[in-house]
Amino acid sequence: MKQPFRSSFRRKLTAAFLAVGVVPLLICVVLMLNVFQLFLARSTEDAAATQLAAVTEDMGGLLSSCEDVMRQLGRHDRILRALNGAGQNSQTVYSALYAAASPLLREADFSLYDARGCLLYTTATASAKADLSTTWGLLAAAGGTSGVVYRNVSSGGTAAGCMQAARAVRSGGHLAGYVVVSLNSGHFRRLLEGKYGAGSDVIILDAFWDEVYATPTLQNEALAATLRQRLLAGQELAGDGENVLYHVVREEVSGFYVVLRQPKPVADWVMRLLYLITTLSILLCLGLCLAVSMAFSRQVFRPIRSLNSAMAAVEGGDLDVRVEVTGTDELSQLAGRFNRMTERLKTNLTDSIRQQQELGDAQIRMMQAQLNPHFLYNTLDTLKWMGKIHRIPEVATISADLADILRRSISAGEFVRLEDELHLLERYVEIQKIRFAGKFEFRTEVDDSLLDVLLPKLMLQPLVENAIIHGFEDGVPGEITVSAACAGDELFLTVEDNGCGMPPESLRRFREQTAPTDRHLGLYNVDAILRLHYGADHGLKFLPPSGGRGTRIRIAIPITRQGGTAS
């Protein structure tokens, strides 16, 4: 009879060990591998973006500077006269050309062509000199626009270089000639030097993805044609089996594309090796879990664990916990005794709580019996009329206010509307203004929509009293402000004064929940009531005063309106 039970328990325990030991490991390993790949990919993308930004920024800056020089040459009087065929000294024209292009002589070559496309002057070497056609190509496109035209000339069979830009020069409404800028491989090499990382390569493509320039390691690969073919086919730029990544960005000035080729941060064979190691580790863990589960799957393990868990729950205050009794052995008897013990403990605790409640109710009734509120009402009413008869309005006011405060303080119910609490507070302040004439001013800032929010009664009066009694001990008159605001589902009540402020020692004792003193007993009582009703995180909060002087106390309570509805 025992063997099937033990075998069933063993299977359950084995499954639990597998779930606890293998599944978290599998999840963690997969997550770690994915995070590792994601981190490497993100790092690679960031590095590529930085390198491409440096390349395009420098390339765009160079081309913009070249355009500035082209515009300057197109407006130069000597050059205009030379292009128009007026007899000019060649040395003078060259001086003007070199003077304008001097900042960029190492970065590009500048040439002047007449309206027929004949080369007149250039800063390039003799091998780079050649006439250009005005019926097609670069000069034809430049003649039809007022801006700068860029063309790829690396595959055109000329010696001009990799890329040319041309701008038409007009004088008196007719075409006088052209200013042409040429960039060869040497210029691009100097431009890109140090802009991309080791192991990476850069290729510059025109709008049709023809190669303009490629770093030396890519010049014999015909990479532009391969990339264009993959692009037109809608494929990834990196082919299958290639351990490289491609990043493309468009340079805005010329409209050409800059492609950065980077090696993958981790080769495919390395990732396959990592996955193989991960699989072997999981299999090893699976075997260990099976061995451990078989070693610990004993009949005694389950009842002991259940009893230990139940005792921990009782230690935490849960007296409803019970241990399942599955047999008649010593452990089962121990479980039964534990259940009976918790049942008796719960009964005794319930009786003790009931007795404490009855004792508290009796004490309250005894105190209420000792104080007849009707006698106090009548006495205060008599004082009020005596003050009016003898023309002492202060006595009448104090008596009426005190009667109202007393009636509301001992009335039934722990919660009152914010409107009633403010009314009681105004009564109290009216008494204190008579007592401390000219010592303080009082004002409230409460929106009408918050007046029906419920809160424990007599929450604000002790805070205002603390401000009146202790806030102006230095004799300097001040102001007390009570404000209310809501944020989300909480109401924030703030009592602030601009008096001398709470002593640091008293503030420290309050924040450390040190035993209360008679000096600030009201604050401790309000804080205790708030924590009992709303939890430990809803006590009094001391905030920096708005004007830098005084005390600022805030109460935060959940918004509950009259009738039990919560906002």
Side-chain angles (χ1 to χ4, degrees):
M1 295 297 295
K2 294 183 179 180
Q3 185 65 30
F5 173 78
R6 295 171 65 181
S7 300
S8 176
F9 171 71
R10 182 172 298 161
R11 287 195 297 269
K12 294 179 181 178
L13 188 61
T14 301
F17 266 88
L18 293 178
V20 171
V22 177
V23 175
L25 176 63
L26 178 62
I27 294 175
C28 290
V29 170
V30 172
L31 286 177
M32 288 178 61
L33 287 176
N34 289 335
V35 170
F36 176 68
Q37 284 185 295
L38 182 62
F39 173 76
L40 289 180
R42 182 64 58 83
S43 300
T44 303
E45 289 179 1
D46 292 343
T50 302
Q51 295 171 21
L52 284 174
V55 171
T56 54
E57 182 178 358
D58 286 1
M59 183 175 174
L62 173 60
L63 296 180
S64 297
S65 299
C66 290
E67 289 186 3
D68 293 339
V69 173
M70 294 168 75
R71 283 192 293 270
Q72 183 179 352
L73 291 173
R75 294 192 297 262
H76 200 285
D77 292 339
R78 294 178 183 175
I79 292 176
L80 286 175
R81 287 195 296 270
L83 294 177
N84 285 324
Q88 294 289 316
N89 185 281
S90 298
Q91 186 65 34
T92 303
V93 177
Y94 268 113
S95 298
L97 176 61
Y98 275 90
S102 59
L104 303 175
L105 287 177
R106 295 187 71 253
E107 284 74 19
D109 294 328
F110 293 85
S111 303
L112 299 177
Y113 289 79
D114 62 13
R116 295 173 300 173
C118 297
L119 177 64
L120 301 180
Y121 306 95
T122 181
T123 63
T125 60
S127 60
K129 297 178 181 179
D131 294 339
L132 297 176
S133 174
T134 59
T135 58
W136 61 276
L138 179 68
L139 298 188
T145 181
S146 60
V148 179
V149 176
Y150 292 89
R151 286 292 185 272
N152 171 21
V153 296
S154 61
S155 59
T158 68
C162 299
M163 182 178 75
Q164 285 185 330
R167 180 184 180 89
V169 178
R170 290 177 171 82
S171 175
H174 69 277
L175 180 65
Y178 305 88
V179 179
V180 177
V181 175
S182 301
L183 277 78
N184 56 36
S185 58
H187 295 144
F188 276 108
R189 194 158 38 248
R190 283 194 296 271
L191 177 67
L192 301 179
E193 187 177 4
K195 301 301 186 303
Y196 54 93
S200 300
D201 293 291
V202 173
I203 180 172
I204 300 176
L205 308 175
D206 64 10
F208 303 100
W209 281 59
D210 288 323
E211 180 179 318
V212 176
Y213 170 79
T215 50
T217 54
L218 297 179
Q219 289 178 353
N220 297 324
E221 294 188 18
L223 184 60
T226 303
L227 295 179
R228 182 171 61 252
Q229 182 180 0
R230 293 174 182 173
L231 180 68
L232 293 176
Q235 301 173 351
E236 295 289 338
L237 294 181
D240 296 335
E242 290 184 347
N243 289 317
V244 294
L245 298 173
Y246 290 95
H247 307 273
V248 183
V249 68
R250 187 172 184 268
E251 197 281 312
E252 297 296 335
V253 177
S254 63
F256 288 179
Y257 294 92
V258 180
V259 181
L260 175 69
R261 188 175 79 169
Q262 286 183 311
K264 286 185 178 180
V266 179
D268 293 338
W269 68 269
V270 176
M271 291 305 303
R272 289 194 294 270
L273 179 61
L274 288 177
Y275 279 113
L276 177 61
I277 294 174
T278 300
T279 303
L280 294 177
S281 300
I282 293 175
L283 291 176
L284 177 61
C285 182
L286 180 62
L288 291 176
C289 287
L290 287 172
V292 172
S293 64
M294 296 300 292
F296 280 94
S297 60
R298 298 290 188 267
Q299 186 72 28
V300 71
F301 180 78
R302 183 177 182 181
I304 288 180
R305 184 178 61 181
S306 300
L307 185 59
N308 182 62
S309 300
M311 294 178 69
V314 171
E315 185 180 5
D318 184 7
L319 298 180
D320 293 324
V321 66
R322 295 293 182 270
V323 178
E324 182 182 1
V325 180
T326 58
T328 58
D329 56 9
E330 291 81 3
L331 289 175
S332 299
Q333 294 175 11
L334 182 62
R337 291 192 179 95
F338 175 83
N339 291 339
R340 291 190 291 274
M341 179 192 70
T342 55
E343 183 67 31
R344 293 195 185 102
L345 183 60
K346 181 179 180 180
T347 302
N348 293 335
L349 182 60
T350 302
D351 292 339
S352 176
I353 293 175
R354 179 178 52 80
Q355 292 173 2
Q356 290 291 336
Q357 290 177 343
E358 292 176 353
L359 178 60
D361 294 339
Q363 290 176 341
I364 292 174
R365 287 193 296 271
M366 180 183 67
M367 293 172 61
Q368 289 177 342
Q370 291 176 349
L371 180 62
N372 187 344
H374 292 289
F375 167 75
L376 292 175
Y377 295 156
N378 294 334
T379 303
L380 291 172
D381 188 63
T382 301
L383 288 174
K384 179 184 72 174
W385 286 107
M386 289 179 64
K388 291 185 177 181
I389 292 172
H390 293 283
R391 298 182 179 179
I392 308 177
E394 291 83 359
V395 175
T397 300
I398 291 175
S399 301
D401 290 341
L402 185 57
D404 193 13
I405 293 173
L406 179 62
R407 181 173 63 254
R408 294 176 183 271
S409 299
I410 64 176
S411 61
E414 296 182 73
F415 292 86
V416 296
R417 298 185 309 159
L418 178 59
E419 181 179 13
D420 298 330
E421 181 75 2
L422 293 175
H423 178 75
L424 184 144
L425 185 60
E426 290 172 356
R427 292 286 197 175
Y428 171 78
V429 170
E430 192 173 20
I431 295 175
Q432 294 291 40
K433 280 190 174 183
I434 295 175
R435 180 184 176 189
F436 302 105
K439 186 176 183 179
F440 67 93
E441 292 294 331
F442 176 80
R443 63 188 180 93
T444 59
E445 297 176 353
V446 181
D447 190 82
D448 292 342
S449 62
L450 303 176
L451 294 178
D452 61 340
V453 177
L454 296 179
L455 70 158
K457 64 182 178 181
L458 292 177
M459 288 291 98
L460 298 177
Q461 183 271 333
L463 305 183
V464 174
E465 180 179 12
N466 181 78
I468 296 174
I469 301 302
H470 303 294
F472 305 106
E473 290 180 334
D474 55 359
V476 179
E479 183 181 70
I480 302 173
T481 303
V482 176
S483 59
C486 65
D489 58 351
E490 285 199 336
L491 173 69
F492 294 96
L493 297 172
T494 305
V495 177
E496 182 176 5
D497 66 79
N498 57 358
C500 58
M502 191 171 180
E505 178 63 23
S506 299
L507 186 59
R508 183 190 63 80
R509 288 173 59 85
F510 182 85
R511 287 175 173 168
E512 294 176 356
Q513 294 295 304
T514 311
T517 62
D518 294 338
R519 181 175 176 82
H520 298 288
L521 185 58
L523 298 183
Y524 285 91
N525 290 339
V526 173
D527 183 72
I529 292 173
L530 290 172
R531 293 176 185 272
L532 288 173
H533 279 299
Y534 303 111
D537 57 341
H538 281 80
L540 294 180
K541 304 294 183 183
F542 283 83
L543 305 177
S546 302
R549 170 182 166 86
T551 304
R552 187 183 182 194
I553 305 176
R554 173 167 290 176
I555 297 174
I557 61 175
I559 295 179
T560 302
R561 301 187 183 274
Q562 196 168 24
T565 60
S567 298

